[in-house]
Amino acid sequence: MTPTPPTRAAGGVGTPPLGTGGVGSSPARPDAEAKVNGAFDYASDLSFPGMLWGHTLRSPHPRARIRSIDTTAAQAIPGVEAVLTAADVPGKLHYGLIEDDQPVLSLGEVNYQGEPVAIVAAGSLDVARRAAELIEVDYELLEPRCDPEDALEAGSFFRYQPVRLGDPDAQVPAAVVAREYVVGMQDQAPLGPESGAAVPTADGGVELYVATQWVHSDLEQIAPCLGLEPDRIHIAIAGIGGAFGAREDLSVQVHMAMLALATGRPVKMMYDRAESFVGHVHRHPARMRYEHAADADGKLLYVKARIVLDGGAYASTTEAVVGNAASLAVGPYEVEHVSVDAWGARTNNPPCGAMRGFGGVQTCFAYESQMDALAEALGLSPVEFRRRNAVAQGSKLITGQIVDAYDPERADDGRPFSPLADMLGRFKEIPVPAVPAGRDIVDLPGGTGNTTHGEGVRRGVGYGVGLKNVCYSEGFDDYSTASVRVERVDGQTVAFVHTAAAEVGQGHWSLQAQIARTELGVDRVELLPNDTKAGSAGSSSASRQSYMTGGAVKAACEAVRELLRDRDLADGPVEATRVFRHRETKPMDPVTGQGESHVQLALCVHRATVDVDIELGLVKVVDLTCVQDVGKIMNPAALEGQIHGGTAQGLGLAVMEEMITEQGRVRNASFTDYLIPTILDMPPMRLRIVENADPEAPYGLRGAGEPPTLSSTPAIVAAIRDATGLALTQIPVRPEHLTAHLGRQP
């Protein structure tokens, strides 16, 4: 008999009460209590009768040729049920989100440290790991290409995207600022490791329970590699312990399915922390050169930018990230003359792909730093300089896209309404925190380390503005599917909602129920498991699920409501399925970069207040104040959580988070050496939520999860600059960056 999954394999979706309340309220999250008390089942908690454990042997080298693989010793260990290599892949040998360039298992040459070479299934994880260690791989070491500039010179890149507008070289500016910026490699650092289980079925197919952001994309990649028709593979989303883009690419999926099919038994795989760091993609590190110029009135004349993103060894989503970086390279500012060149280099560094902010984070740090520098050169305040150049209703972005999602009747002194100028003005109502007369040392940089009693501590204030696209861009067929069924159960009207949308912590389970209550007027809503039995909902990324799956649920509910006009539930259930699509987008022109490539644009502004010990190079973020335009507040509590979480990741990139690589080798693959912000690092936050409804979007909402990650980083760095007077063109800002001018290291 085929084993059945645990009763809470997907975190117990639908079993806890879904709370009450419609759109605009904050019902209790169905997973909240279980996550707090430890009862929630994550993918790493999966268990099946007769289950084996899988483990992956990975290359220790950034680049090498495989001369031979000998699995004899591994297969001889008692308890080992299978040892598989590339020769055992039953179908297509490569997969990928955009480009099928990533081998299921290495095909003769490894291209990054951590590339999978062989997989093992055994009765216990310890035995599987021991067997993997006994696999003998004869490597011929090759010189890795790790410098993105060297890769570009050799013609090794995934995409080149220019943007051309006007004639920058013909302008006569009053002030010019040119600087180079460096952004380190940030990791998504989800607390839940990559994990899942595969269960073979009687028809020769397989069921997969896995932490993923997009089950249908997984299915499209997995089926050809397994040599199976898609209808013989069923994928359900197991409990997800964080994502942030790390779960868009495949990790354990194909490997555990291969092992399950080879052994005829359920196989579970779960990465340890070190393996997780090399087993998923990361944020693209960047090197950027920007030149901004303005006239004497403080209006931008031109922007020139050269943006080089390191995509690592395989494509993942680098092509799309480059498109975002190029199109958002100047931010939400009007400028008529632009020359932007953006590349995604192919190197032997760890593969990079989706992470919250998706190409906008890197360029935002650069263009916001430039705006501060140019404001200083012109003798203007950072806020006033941004206000003078802010986009408004009817403005064109550098790609020619019209800013068209705001009410054209709202105006400022007869000028078109500028949501950014309005948002910047709201900071006047929120004063900067005063410096206390007597401060506890715990509140100073260094905290309980007793490094200072205030001497050498300087306070700084800085601003950051982020512009982020929402949903998929450049002509991608972005859609979501939802089914809604209404029936009488035990004398009560119940709405059942079925989508494949991944709940990655953003609160989408609650939102689907809120929409159903609002549209159908029912109290009881139950969510069916998120799996491939539903139509595709797309990925839980790009700040799109509220827009897309929310739109699909709304449309399905409207259809059910219409059917109920002529039907009675006493005659049986009423059901409707609807597919929701946003308005059409277009690819960027490969020569000029012109084109309405984005669906929706979202703005967020941060003001950061920091204390800096200028002698020791220690930083404490004292306050973060945020103004964000969300179009329509769907769930106040979830929205605040998204802004806090996105801000925390921006803080991490600003002052502590970086994966260190040396010639392609990761040096800090642990939470001991890769630091992420804790609750002690996050300051109090003050939020002002703006609702400029988008007439194109369901309920007028605007994706909210990513913009805070863009604007928080440059705001914090600007505040550190204000306190120290240093240029600070590299993030994360480290103590040595703040003390090098003193002639000593901290």
Side-chain angles (χ1 to χ4, degrees):
M1 184 176 68
T2 302
T4 56
T7 56
R8 296 184 302 171
V13 183
T15 51
L18 278 168
T20 58
V23 169
S25 65
S26 297
R29 289 178 52 147
D31 53 344
E33 183 177 345
K35 285 182 174 177
V36 170
N37 66 26
F40 186 86
D41 284 332
Y42 290 98
S44 54
D45 297 316
L46 290 165
S47 181
F48 295 86
M51 186 179 77
L52 300 172
W53 283 85
H55 185 63
T56 307
L57 175 69
R58 299 178 179 274
S59 168
H61 309 295
R63 187 177 177 216
R65 185 174 294 112
I66 297 176
R67 294 193 184 102
S68 65
I69 303 176
D70 186 350
T71 64
T72 306
Q75 290 174 322
I77 295 179
V80 171
E81 299 293 331
V83 181
L84 306 179
T85 66
D88 301 299
V89 177
K92 190 175 178 181
L93 300 176
H94 294 83
Y95 63 85
L97 276 171
I98 297 176
E99 179 183 340
D100 293 339
D101 67 336
Q102 189 156 344
V104 175
L105 292 168
S106 183
L107 294 165
E109 185 170 314
V110 295
N111 291 297
Y112 71 97
Q113 181 200 23
E115 181 166 331
V117 174
I119 49 178
V120 178
S124 72
L125 182 56
D126 286 342
V127 171
R129 287 173 173 168
R130 191 161 68 250
E133 292 173 357
L134 292 177
I135 298 173
E136 296 181 9
V137 184
D138 183 10
Y139 292 104
E140 176 189 350
L141 300 188
L142 303 173
E143 186 67 25
R145 180 184 287 129
C146 299
D147 189 322
E149 295 289 353
D150 291 344
L152 296 187
E153 188 174 338
S156 179
F157 56 89
F158 298 105
R159 181 181 181 181
Y160 164 61
Q161 180 59 62
V163 180
R164 297 290 186 268
L165 184 65
D167 186 358
D169 293 329
Q171 308 311 305
V172 181
V176 178
V177 173
R179 291 181 181 176
E180 294 186 0
Y181 298 92
V182 176
V183 177
M185 182 186 293
Q186 187 179 21
D187 191 76
Q188 299 89 345
L191 296 186
E194 288 70 20
S195 51
V199 182
T201 56
D203 63 352
V206 66
E207 295 179 345
L208 291 98
Y209 304 89
V210 65
T212 178
Q213 291 178 241
W214 189 356
V215 288
H216 285 82
S217 176
D218 288 2
L219 179 62
E220 289 177 4
Q221 296 175 75
I222 292 167
C225 296
L226 297 180
L228 294 175
E229 292 300 318
D231 61 5
R232 292 171 66 191
I233 302 171
H234 172 241
I235 308 176
I237 299 176
I240 299 172
F244 317 114
R247 305 195 196 281
E248 282 202 29
D249 294 72
L250 297 185
S251 56
V252 298
Q253 288 93 322
V254 178
H255 295 162
M256 66 188 188
M258 284 176 58
L259 291 169
L261 292 171
T263 62
R265 293 169 61 180
V267 174
K268 177 178 178 177
M269 297 189 79
M270 182 177 68
Y271 294 172
D272 62 20
R273 185 58 56 190
E275 186 176 15
S276 179
F277 269 102
V278 299
H280 64 244
V281 296
H282 318 283
R283 188 187 301 287
H284 294 72
R287 300 177 188 174
M288 301 168 286
R289 187 185 189 281
Y290 268 75
E291 182 177 314
H292 277 56
D295 63 20
D297 294 325
K299 293 289 290 181
L300 284 174
L301 281 182
Y302 70 76
V303 176
K304 299 178 181 180
R306 185 178 190 276
I307 301 161
V308 179
L309 303 173
D310 185 352
Y314 295 110
S316 184
T317 59
T318 294
E319 290 182 19
V321 170
V322 169
N324 266 17
S327 63
L328 303 175
V330 174
Y333 305 112
E334 291 185 331
V335 58
E336 296 182 1
H337 305 279
V338 173
S339 176
V340 171
D341 296 287
W343 286 269
R346 184 194 295 266
T347 66
N348 293 114
N349 290 319
C352 291
M355 185 176 173
R356 194 177 200 162
F358 203 81
V361 167
Q362 297 90 328
T363 54
C364 184
F365 169 64
Y367 67 67
E368 284 299 277
S369 298
Q370 286 288 100
M371 293 296 284
D372 282 342
L374 197 50
E376 183 178 5
L378 292 164
L380 295 172
S381 76
V383 171
E384 174 59 22
F385 183 53
R386 286 171 170 83
R387 190 193 65 78
R388 293 187 187 187
N389 292 283
V391 294
Q393 173 68 29
S395 295
K396 286 186 178 181
L397 301 180
I398 63 172
T399 58
Q401 183 153 0
I402 307 278
V403 177
D404 62 353
Y406 304 100
D407 186 348
E409 296 183 3
R410 295 179 65 182
D412 179 14
D413 298 331
R415 297 189 299 272
F417 173 65
S418 170
L420 176 54
D422 172 66
M423 291 163 71
L424 288 167
R426 293 175 185 247
F427 284 93
K428 296 177 182 177
E429 310 163 7
I430 318 168
V432 174
V435 179
R439 287 187 282 178
D440 191 307
I441 60 169
V442 173
D443 297 325
L444 294 170
T448 54
N450 196 23
T451 59
T452 181
H453 286 255
E455 65 279 9
V457 173
R458 303 289 183 268
R459 175 156 289 191
V461 177
Y463 292 83
V465 175
L467 178 71
K468 179 64 177 65
N469 63 307
V470 175
C471 299
Y472 289 154
S473 303
E474 294 200 71
F476 187 88
D477 185 16
D478 192 6
Y479 67 91
S480 182
T481 311
S483 296
V484 174
R485 184 177 79 252
V486 177
E487 61 181 278
R488 298 290 290 176
V489 178
D490 298 328
Q492 187 177 13
T493 301
V494 182
F496 295 89
V497 179
H498 193 194
T499 78
E503 169 60 73
V504 295
Q506 80 276 45
H508 196 65
W509 287 341
S510 294
L511 181 59
Q512 290 183 49
Q514 289 175 256
I515 292 172
R517 292 190 200 101
T518 297
E519 298 299 325
L520 297 172
V522 299
D523 291 326
R524 183 176 167 188
V525 180
E526 294 192 14
L527 305 183
L528 301 178
N530 309 127
D531 57 18
T532 48
K533 292 179 182 178
S536 178
S539 177
S540 287
S541 60
S543 303
R544 63 176 291 284
Q545 283 296 12
S546 294
Y547 193 124
M548 299 304 297
T549 300
V553 172
K554 182 176 186 288
C557 287
E558 290 170 343
V560 167
R561 194 172 64 224
E562 189 65 28
L563 290 171
L564 284 171
R565 292 179 185 272
D566 304 316
R567 297 251 331 248
D568 192 298
L569 288 179
D571 299 326
V574 175
E575 184 171 6
T577 298
R578 290 293 181 269
V579 175
F580 180 84
R581 282 180 166 85
H582 55 62
R583 65 183 179 87
E584 183 182 1
T585 60
K586 299 176 182 177
M588 297 175 69
D589 186 279
V591 177
T592 66
Q594 299 302 292
E596 297 215 353
S597 59
H598 298 310
V599 178
Q600 187 189 63
L601 298 163
L603 279 169
C604 186
V605 186
H606 272 88
R607 183 184 66 202
T609 304
V610 305
D611 283 340
V612 182
D613 188 323
I614 61 174
E615 297 175 352
L616 297 178
L618 301 178
V619 176
K620 183 176 180 64
V621 183
V622 174
D623 177 79
L624 285 164
T625 300
C626 174
V627 178
Q628 183 166 342
D629 178 4
V630 303
K632 164 70 175 178
I633 299 175
M634 304 293 287
N635 181 315
L639 172 63
E640 290 185 11
Q642 285 291 288
I643 296 174
H644 284 219
T647 299
Q649 287 188 301
L651 183 153
L653 180 59
V655 296
M656 65 181 72
E657 291 190 47
E658 183 178 10
M659 283 189 66
I660 305 298
T661 61
E662 294 177 2
Q663 281 300 99
R665 299 177 186 274
V666 178
R667 296 303 190 189
N668 59 332
S670 75
F671 282 150
T672 299
D673 301 309
Y674 182 91
L675 304 180
I676 61 174
T678 70
I679 193 169
L680 295 178
D681 297 299
M682 275 297 291
M685 285 196 68
R686 295 177 289 176
L687 309 182
R688 294 294 185 272
I689 307 302
V690 179
E691 293 183 281
N692 290 315
D694 180 349
E696 298 276 349
Y699 303 106
L701 68 84
R702 196 176 306 282
E706 292 179 282
T709 310
L710 274 70
S711 52
S712 53
T713 298
I716 292 167
V717 178
I720 300 172
R721 288 194 196 102
D722 185 48
T724 64
L726 301 174
L728 301 178
T729 58
Q730 179 175 340
I731 51 175
V733 176
R734 300 190 178 281
E736 57 265 32
H737 300 158
L738 303 178
T739 61
H741 68 291
L742 300 176
R744 67 176 188 272
Q745 299 294 312

